[in-house]
Amino acid sequence: MPKDRAFQLKRFLNRSFRKLERLIFILKALLTPRQFIYLSCVLVGISSALAVIILKSFAHWVFKSSQKLDDILHLPFSNSTLPIIGIIITVIIIKKVLEGSIEKGTSQIMYAVAKKRGIMPRKQMFAQIITSSFTVGMGGSAGLESPITITGAAFGSNYAQNYRLSYKDRTLLLACGVAAGIGAAFNAPIAGVLFAIEVVLAEISITAFIPIMISAATGALISTIVLNDTILFSFKKVQFFDFHNLPYYILLGVLSGFVSINYARTFRKIEHYFAKLKFNYINKALFGAGILGILIFFFPSLFGEGYESIKLLADNQSAKLVQNTVFERFQDSSWILLIFVSLTMLIKVYATSLTLGAGGNGGNFAPSLFVGSYLGFSVATFFNLTGFTKLPIGNFTLVGMAGILSGLFHAPLTAIFLIAEITGGYNLMVPLMIVSSVSFAISKRFEPYSFDIKNLADKGEVFTDNRDTNILNSIDVSKLIQTDFKPISLSNSLEELVQKIQETDEHIFPVLDEKNNLLGLIHLDEIRPIVFSQFKVKYTSVEEIMQQPKELIFYDETLETIMDKFDASECKVLPVLKNGVFLGFMHKQLILEKYRHRLKSMIIE
């Protein structure tokens, strides 16, 4: 009987979905393109908000269920054991259900925009929800915001694909999904809009703001109605800004910049270490999660997202962080607590990288807020304990979050307005602007690319802050190679070359050996005097008229590098090689035509 009910429910949902789909197609035919985009951004906003609600609620349910399981089984050192179980469940789901792989990090969104024309896999609409809920819900030291943004982007992308929208509309709705996800996760619609623009989109016109704002507002509204305050991350106790504390906020900004750099570099080192491990997926999970469990045993606030501990610091209740730990006897010592908080801040990057390196799913958005709050608390507490001044600990704890978020993701506007919105006001706007801008400037100086796209940028795959490079790298190099050429060998006579010249419109001929290795080039414009002289044709060899190319294009090079070679050589056509083998020619004019076409399609209006 239960199976029959489940079947009937599934059948009912499928029918309802098909009816809704038909209705939307009808509306698409009746509405103007602009009106349909406005309708679509609302629907994408609703879908993303519902995904956030499901993700947050499911992660919360996983956490509560694991606590109840612990009450029944009395697991030894449960806070250390549960994250190991959660990561193992996650890697098994990825291996057995999700075809062995899942994209992690918001860099996947930028990659989809830059290289895949805004197309994201359909499985991303549910894969992130399931895997990150088990990882973070059971104590993995990561955040849910990155899975939220990927899920929102996937909803926007697949909606646009389903209703056959253009590339620029698909990219716009992808950004709408991201904005709605952030807006719903924090009840911060402005931060959602800014995050979509700063992090996801390289170029955007003013009119594109409207759909993104509608989606972000829709997501925030729905999450506010459905989710309660225990799940949403918010603060109410904020003191007014005192301009006398300005030097200390500048110092916090400087420290935030350098801590962001350290976080990014440390995370990448551990990520690369795990990528090179030869363990199978279960052993890798046990290895990484086992070390994570040890860290959580000594520093319990590393368990899960850590938002509750941030609230404790903002309320100046750091003593509660060491309760029921090996450091509990030091809870009355302010200096020991300061050292404990500072160490936790520095160790957080190891906990997060172990969580993700072991196979868990999550992001670095929440960890950046965690590190920032602990840094702000440490700075304020240090100066208060030394007696130099009396700083508002709550304010520094909150502003520190903006400093690390800005330095790590290179998103100062998102950082400023996110903290302003979750605190319920704009009393901290001036210190938020100071700390975020200083941190961003320092981080940008030493790390030109943001934390999340550094690896992609190193490969030349995505540059979200450079429109020209971004467009060039969105073009498929392999489709630009002209393979219809007339090869010449050294053994050929010039009579044979003249015959080939008569059969084609080409002006350049490659001289190849028997293995298709390029020996040189013959330019028709430069051998015309020889071609029109029967005597010279008869007594001149191919080797005598062959020239070495001024530049060579290699198959795995980016178009930005290729264009630099065209400019340096002042050539209009260059040969392309792969592993030393000649593939064909590439024409500068064709690249420019593709660029103009792609530029026109990428401008979001």
Side-chain angles (χ1 to χ4, degrees):
M1 191 67 178
K3 289 184 178 180
D4 293 337
R5 288 180 179 176
F7 176 76
Q8 290 174 1
L9 177 62
K10 182 179 179 181
R11 191 175 179 183
F12 171 76
L13 291 174
N14 286 336
R15 286 180 175 176
S16 300
F17 179 78
R18 284 196 293 270
K19 288 180 180 178
L20 177 61
E21 193 175 49
R22 283 196 292 269
L23 175 62
I24 296 174
F25 269 114
I26 293 171
L27 290 173
K28 182 187 178 186
L30 296 175
L31 299 174
T32 65
R34 197 66 192 167
Q35 290 171 339
F36 185 72
I37 287 296
Y38 289 145
L39 171 65
S40 300
C41 70
V42 172
L43 296 177
V44 170
I46 293 172
S47 301
S48 299
L50 292 176
V52 170
I53 292 167
I54 293 171
L55 177 54
K56 288 273 190 180
S57 301
F58 186 46
H60 191 67
W61 176 83
V62 169
F63 173 71
K64 292 296 183 182
S65 299
S66 62
Q67 296 297 317
K68 289 180 181 178
L69 180 66
D70 179 46
D71 292 338
I72 296 171
L73 300 178
H74 301 293
L75 296 171
F77 309 110
S78 60
N79 269 18
S80 297
T81 306
L82 290 174
I84 299 175
I85 298 173
I87 291 174
I88 290 175
I89 292 174
T90 301
V91 297
I92 291 174
I93 292 174
I94 293 173
K95 187 71 175 179
K96 303 298 183 181
V97 180
L98 301 175
E99 301 172 352
S101 66
I102 185 172
E103 290 79 6
K104 302 176 185 178
T106 53
S107 60
Q108 300 305 319
I109 303 174
M110 281 86 86
Y111 184 78
V113 172
K115 300 289 283 185
K116 295 185 177 180
R117 298 184 60 79
I119 294 175
M120 297 192 68
R122 187 176 293 272
K123 73 176 182 179
Q124 292 286 38
M125 294 191 291
F126 62 87
Q128 300 289 334
I129 294 175
I130 299 170
T131 54
S132 62
S133 293
F134 279 108
T135 297
V136 181
M138 298 190 75
S141 195
L144 295 172
E145 288 72 29
S146 178
I148 284 171
T149 58
I150 295 175
T151 303
F155 270 106
S157 172
N158 282 276
Y159 175 95
Q161 293 175 60
N162 191 54
Y163 296 104
R164 303 180 183 91
L165 300 182
S166 65
Y167 166 64
K168 63 183 180 182
D169 288 338
R170 184 165 60 246
T171 304
L172 176 59
L173 290 180
L174 180 150
C176 286
V178 172
I182 292 294
F186 292 101
N187 189 23
I190 298 177
V193 172
L194 294 172
F195 184 83
I197 293 170
E198 280 190 301
V199 177
V200 178
L201 300 179
E203 290 289 321
I204 186 171
S205 66
I206 296 298
T207 53
F209 272 97
I210 298 174
I212 295 175
M213 286 191 293
I214 292 173
S215 286
T218 302
L221 178 62
I222 291 177
S223 72
T224 302
I225 295 171
V226 178
L227 294 177
N228 56 47
D229 292 337
T230 60
I231 296 179
L232 288 173
F233 183 50
S234 62
F235 296 87
K236 300 302 178 186
K237 297 180 181 179
V238 179
Q239 299 179 33
F240 285 97
F241 167 61
D242 183 351
F243 70 89
H244 294 98
N245 297 330
L246 182 60
Y248 302 100
Y249 283 115
I250 295 175
L251 174 63
L252 178 58
V254 172
L255 292 175
S256 296
F258 285 110
V259 171
S260 298
I261 295 167
N262 175 72
Y263 186 104
R265 293 178 178 178
T266 302
F267 185 92
R268 282 196 296 269
K269 287 178 182 177
I270 299 175
E271 185 181 45
H272 292 159
Y273 172 76
F274 272 92
K276 293 178 181 177
L277 280 181
K278 303 300 182 183
F279 299 164
N280 65 44
Y281 70 101
I282 292 293
N283 289 338
K284 183 182 289 189
L286 287 171
F287 174 67
I291 301 174
L292 172 66
I294 295 172
L295 291 179
I296 292 176
F297 174 77
F298 289 104
F299 302 94
S301 55
L302 297 175
F303 185 95
E305 293 177 290
Y307 285 150
E308 290 303 317
S309 69
I310 295 176
K311 292 180 179 180
L312 290 176
L313 292 184
D315 292 335
N316 198 17
Q317 299 180 32
S318 57
K320 291 186 178 181
L321 296 180
V322 296
Q323 289 180 356
N324 301 317
T325 73
V326 293
F327 300 101
E328 186 172 16
R329 65 180 183 275
F330 301 112
Q331 63 180 331
D332 295 326
S333 173
S334 298
W335 282 104
I336 296 296
L337 287 175
L338 174 60
I339 294 172
F340 177 82
V341 170
S342 301
L343 285 174
T344 305
M345 173 198 70
L346 295 174
I347 292 172
K348 179 65 174 180
V349 62
Y350 295 94
T352 302
S353 52
L354 285 167
T355 299
L356 303 183
N361 188 22
N364 283 279
F365 200 99
S368 72
L369 300 180
F370 181 99
V371 172
S373 66
Y374 276 59
L375 176 62
F377 175 89
S378 299
V379 170
T381 302
F382 173 80
F383 284 107
N384 289 347
L385 291 178
T386 55
F388 282 112
T389 185
K390 187 66 176 177
L391 300 177
I393 288 178
N395 286 9
F396 272 75
T397 301
L398 297 174
V399 173
M401 290 193 287
I404 299 298
L405 183 61
S406 174
L408 201 58
F409 290 95
H410 291 187
L413 292 177
T414 300
I416 292 168
F417 283 93
L418 176 65
I419 305 305
E421 287 185 282
I422 66 176
T423 56
Y426 293 87
N427 295 328
L428 295 178
M429 184 56 72
V430 173
L432 284 171
M433 294 171 68
I434 292 170
V435 173
S436 295
S437 58
V438 171
S439 175
F440 171 74
I442 292 174
S443 178
K444 186 77 172 177
R445 169 65 180 80
F446 294 98
E447 292 285 343
Y449 301 105
S450 72
F451 162 76
D452 232 15
I453 68 167
K454 171 67 174 172
N455 289 337
L456 294 179
D458 288 343
K459 299 174 186 176
E461 291 178 337
V462 60
F463 296 80
T464 57
D465 58 352
N466 187 318
R467 181 187 65 181
D468 291 337
T469 308
N470 201 25
I471 294 174
L472 283 174
N473 285 306
S474 71
I475 299 172
D476 189 348
V477 175
S478 63
K479 294 181 179 179
L480 299 174
I481 302 173
Q482 177 202 344
T483 56
D484 183 20
F485 54 85
K486 300 291 184 180
I488 301 293
S489 69
L490 291 177
S491 61
N492 287 136
S493 65
L494 284 200
E495 286 93 341
E496 292 173 293
L497 174 60
V498 171
Q499 182 64 33
K500 290 188 178 184
I501 290 174
Q502 294 172 350
E503 296 172 354
T504 181
D505 294 329
E506 294 299 322
H507 291 72
I508 301 178
F509 299 86
V511 181
L512 309 179
D513 64 13
E514 63 278 1
K515 295 182 179 180
N516 280 339
N517 293 316
L518 182 67
L519 301 177
L521 300 174
I522 296 176
H523 296 265
L524 177 59
D525 293 337
E526 297 180 13
I527 65 168
R528 287 186 189 277
I530 298 176
V531 170
F532 290 109
S533 169
Q534 292 184 355
F535 178 81
K536 290 181 179 180
V537 167
K538 186 174 182 179
Y539 292 102
T540 304
S541 67
V542 169
E543 189 172 5
E544 289 179 84
I545 61 173
M546 178 181 73
Q547 297 180 2
Q548 292 303 310
K550 293 181 180 180
E551 287 281 2
L552 294 172
I553 294 175
F554 299 101
Y555 184 77
D556 57 352
E557 288 184 310
T558 65
L559 270 182
E560 184 182 29
T561 304
I562 291 171
M563 289 302 293
D564 289 340
K565 288 187 174 182
F566 274 113
D567 293 339
S569 64
E570 298 182 349
C571 293
K572 296 180 180 180
V573 183
L574 288 174
V576 183
L577 305 183
K578 183 177 182 181
N579 299 325
V581 177
F582 178 75
L583 295 182
F585 291 106
M586 193 172 293
H587 294 252
K588 183 178 181 180
Q589 184 62 33
L590 179 59
I591 298 175
L592 294 176
E593 289 175 3
K594 289 283 186 182
Y595 171 87
R596 284 192 289 269
H597 177 75
R598 188 59 56 86
L599 174 63
K600 184 177 179 180
S601 69
M602 288 185 73
I603 296 176
I604 300 174
E605 302 175 327

